[in-house]
Amino acid sequence: MLSWVAMERIYEHEVLSHAKLRKQAGTRPLRVHAKPLTDGELLAKLRSFNLEIDRAGLERKCERALSAEEIARPLMDQSGSRGQESDWIWICVATLWRRWFPDQPCFEELDDKMQAGYELLASRDVVAACRIWLEAWNDVVRLLDKAALESIEDFDRRFRGTQSLFNWIQDLESELWNAGLEERQFLSERIALCEEGLRRFRSDADLMTENWRRALAESYFELGKAEKAEALYREWLDTDPCWGWGWIGWSDCYRFTRNERVDLNRCEQILREGFAIAAVRDHADIADRLADVCEEQGRHEEAKEFRRWSERRAATVEVSRSVSSVGEVLRKQTQVNFGEAGLPHSKISSAADLSSDTPTPPVTRQKVGRNEPCPCGSGKKFKKCCGA
């Protein structure tokens, strides 16, 4: 269920511009209609619903709540008002909160800042977008502390905004990098964001943790602190040497950096160290990276060998199941992927054995959102990887 501010935004941007939908939904009050009203007129609006509220009383409510919606819901029940006109109760509370207590963050203000940033990104002003998003991130931190929320999931359950914190925080991290290419201070802000995220949400999602780590080390490296980036990757990979994209991220520092530390030899050395670990995850991706590095150095035969190895490694058997809400398997489908090189005729019989109904651990397929991590394991968002 979406929050009221998210539903208002949908009404403004989707319904009002569509004549048929506008006729079906009817005319309803919006927060923008409250902007020209004085404080006294807003309080009079509340009194028209038999609600007597003063500044001190509203301040006490705001100190306990995370949103104007949380305050307005019981007030609506108290007034007995229903229908679209009762939206004025929420609108008055939200407007007075912003005017009287601007230093107290709330979900409505946070949602507005998030969407303002997306609008600036649409106009290609990444620096301005990141400035307002860093204000929004400060609000998120304060709201987390205020409600003693310990996970992104818990926050989103309360927030229910136009954009989820889960998606938005990944967009923030990505755009801070882009802004940092124009103004270096944003790379320091990206470091602070990743360190705070790792401290607060480390167990939320393994892929998100890995992506924050890569972003953190990448930012240190880009700021000329290669020793710090090296130390971080060495610590992480000593703990989890099978983190394939950790080896790739570390090597990329020496291949895609803008500073003077481009070093394909060091890049290759890191990749070969990861490649030598038999159980490393995303082994084929490391092989592809090694092939790229070999090609860039003119060693084309070595590059071909790594490509062939990657294609052989990519041959997989995958069992996917569609699962109902009670956990019953509705449909099972087995897919055999033989990679780009294909399968020799002599191996066809063994392929039949692979696709037999063996006790393979089930993989539950879910719809992947555009801003969620790509299920291919690249470490990128779906919209920038397979979803492109």
Side-chain angles (χ1 to χ4, degrees), residues 4 8 28-35 37 42 46 68 72 76 84-97:
W4 290 352
E8 180 191 67
R28 61 189 316 128
L30 303 169
R31 286 179 300 157
V32 68
H33 297 150
K35 286 186 176 180
L37 301 182
L42 292 172
L46 289 171
M76 286 182 178
Q84 294 180 352
E85 276 302 304
S86 66
D87 287 355
W88 271 109
I89 297 174
W90 169 65
I91 291 169
C92 289
V93 171
T95 304
L96 290 171
W97 186 331

Side-chain angles (χ1 to χ4, degrees), residues 293-351:
V293 173
C294 289
E295 285 176 351
E296 289 174 21
Q297 297 179 90
R299 290 149 46 205
H300 301 295
E301 288 305 315
E302 284 185 71
K304 289 179 182 178
E305 282 301 314
F306 280 118
R307 296 279 186 224
R308 284 193 285 267
W309 190 96
S310 175
E311 290 165 1
R312 290 195 300 271
R313 186 77 176 184
T316 59
V317 177
E318 188 172 74
V319 178
S320 59
R321 291 184 169 95
S322 298
V323 184
S324 71
S325 59
V326 294
E328 296 176 345
V329 176
L330 302 179
R331 180 176 67 253
K332 184 179 75 172
Q333 179 180 357
T334 300
Q335 177 179 332
V336 182
N337 177 4
F338 300 115
E340 295 180 7
L343 184 71
H345 290 151
S346 60
K347 300 295 184 181
I348 290 178
S349 60
S350 60

Side-chain angles (χ1 to χ4, degrees), residues 1-255:
M1 179 180 173
L2 290 174
S3 65
W4 290 352
V5 68
M7 290 190 288
E8 180 191 67
R9 204 175 309 280
I10 292 172
Y11 179 82
E12 286 184 292
H13 293 279
E14 304 295 335
V15 176
L16 288 181
S17 61
H18 193 293
K20 184 176 180 180
L21 292 177
R22 187 170 65 250
K23 183 177 180 180
Q24 292 175 342
T27 303
R28 61 189 316 128
L30 303 169
R31 286 179 300 157
V32 68
H33 297 150
K35 286 186 176 180
L37 301 182
T38 66
D39 294 355
E41 288 171 328
L42 292 172
L43 292 172
K45 275 279 189 185
L46 289 171
R47 283 196 296 273
S48 71
F49 293 99
N50 299 315
L51 297 170
E52 288 291 340
I53 295 178
D54 58 18
R55 183 168 182 147
L58 183 59
E59 184 173 18
R60 288 192 294 271
K61 292 179 184 294
C62 291
E63 287 173 349
R64 296 190 298 269
L66 298 184
S67 68
E69 180 180 341
E70 290 182 19
I71 297 172
R73 281 185 180 276
L75 291 177
M76 286 182 178
D77 292 337
Q78 178 183 330
S79 70
S81 300
R82 292 292 181 269
Q84 294 180 352
E85 276 302 304
S86 66
D87 287 355
W88 271 109
I89 297 174
W90 169 65
I91 291 169
C92 289
V93 171
T95 304
L96 290 171
W97 186 331
R98 177 173 290 188
R99 289 183 188 177
W100 289 350
F101 320 115
D103 293 334
Q104 286 197 42
C106 63
F107 283 158
E108 286 86 0
E109 181 77 2
L110 173 61
D111 199 290
D112 288 345
K113 289 178 180 178
M114 285 181 173
Q115 295 310 305
Y118 282 116
E119 290 172 8
L120 288 166
L121 285 178
S123 64
R124 300 180 182 273
D125 195 343
V126 64
V127 168
C130 284
R131 286 199 177 105
I132 195 169
W133 272 4
L134 287 171
E135 292 180 20
W137 171 240
N138 183 59
D139 289 349
V140 168
V141 170
R142 293 177 63 193
L143 288 164
L144 284 163
D145 291 339
K146 180 177 182 178
L149 300 174
E150 297 182 351
S151 72
I152 293 175
E153 183 182 24
D154 289 342
F155 188 96
D156 277 334
R157 193 177 294 115
R158 296 280 295 272
F159 181 45
R160 310 182 335 275
T162 307
Q163 180 63 276
S164 68
L165 177 61
F166 179 83
N167 287 337
W168 174 79
I169 200 172
Q170 294 179 80
D171 289 337
L172 172 58
E173 175 264 297
S174 177
E175 297 305 335
L176 283 173
W177 169 261
N178 293 329
L181 299 180
E182 297 182 33
E183 297 184 17
R184 309 295 276 178
Q185 70 192 56
F186 288 106
L187 293 177
S188 297
E189 296 287 0
R190 191 179 188 224
I191 288 171
L193 170 72
C194 292
E195 289 178 340
E196 184 74 12
L198 288 168
R199 184 181 70 82
R200 286 180 179 269
F201 311 126
R202 191 163 184 167
S203 61
D204 260 353
D206 290 341
L207 183 57
M208 181 178 285
T209 295
E210 291 177 351
N211 287 343
W212 271 336
R213 286 175 171 177
R214 288 172 58 200
L216 176 61
E218 177 186 54
S219 299
Y220 273 121
F221 195 95
E222 190 66 20
L223 286 172
K225 300 179 180 179
E227 296 78 9
K228 177 67 173 179
E230 287 265 344
L232 286 172
Y233 270 120
R234 179 55 67 191
E235 176 186 352
W236 296 329
L237 289 166
D238 281 348
T239 302
D240 180 13
C242 293
W243 178 26
W245 275 89
W247 296 105
I248 293 172
W250 188 1
S251 70
D252 282 351
C253 290
Y254 290 95
R255 185 173 169 217

Side-chain angles (χ1 to χ4, degrees), residues 365-376 381-383 387:
R365 290 284 190 176
Q366 295 180 339
K367 183 178 180 181
V368 182
R370 293 182 69 251
N371 288 300
E372 293 179 10
C374 190
C376 75
K381 292 181 186 178
F382 180 70
K383 68 182 180 183

